[in-house]
Amino acid sequence: MIHVHLMDLFKGKQLVTRDKKLLEASEILQERIVGLYFSAHWCPPCRQFTPLLADMYVELEQRNAPFEVVFISCDKTEEEMLTYMLEMHGDWLAVPFGDAMIEELKTTFKITAVPKLIILKPNGETLSEMGRKEVQDRGVLCFRNWLNAAGITDTLPKSVKRRTKMKEGDIAAQTETEGSRNSDRGDGDGSSVD
């Protein structure tokens, strides 16, 4: 498992929203489980998985869960990246197009194919390199496993900055009614990254 300190990784960096606002990464990512989502609009498996991740993200956001997705684009142009974000993504963040951090993250996490969802603890320790498969198989229920493995509570402390007004909620109320999303594919079984 790869271990990098999350705040060191994103120290002094800004992330972009799908409406092109820049936000300080260190403020937004503190005390959260972070999903690094390597994806591209041109990749058919990415276009199949992204709506599942977006649905999960919305549900967790409504429950005030300590979770954030950071999109690392493997698109060829900024226009492709922004179009993909607007069409299919949740209201999550992205490393700005062309930022050197994209290549650094792809190298650090040995990304050779997309989609790939790497789940990190708030301290940067890797919780899972198979986030895509876990989301496909269990939906929002996989988040409970990530919380337990990270040893954190299921809602954000009031002192943590929020990007949007969210409803108070509790992940623990989630039941097995989600069902299982079956998939034969694990993470990174999709399209090659050049």
Side-chain angles (χ1 to χ4, degrees), residues 4-7 29-34 66 120-125 127 146 150-152:
V4 293
H5 194 279
L6 194 59
M7 290 305 113
L29 301 180
Q30 69 177 332
E31 297 189 43
R32 286 176 170 77
I33 291 173
V34 175
L120 304 177
K121 291 181 181 181
N123 68 1
E125 183 179 333
L127 277 172
W146 299 338
I152 59 175

Side-chain angles (χ1 to χ4, degrees), residues 101-113:
M101 186 176 195
I102 293 172
E103 289 306 316
E104 181 182 339
L105 290 169
K106 285 167 57 177
T107 300
T108 299
F109 292 100
K110 299 175 177 66
I111 304 302
T112 58

Side-chain angles (χ1 to χ4, degrees), residues 53-63 90-91:
L53 182 59
D55 288 348
M56 179 178 151
Y57 183 85
V58 167
E59 184 163 343
L60 292 173
E61 184 178 53
Q62 289 171 344
R63 296 170 183 268
D91 189 26

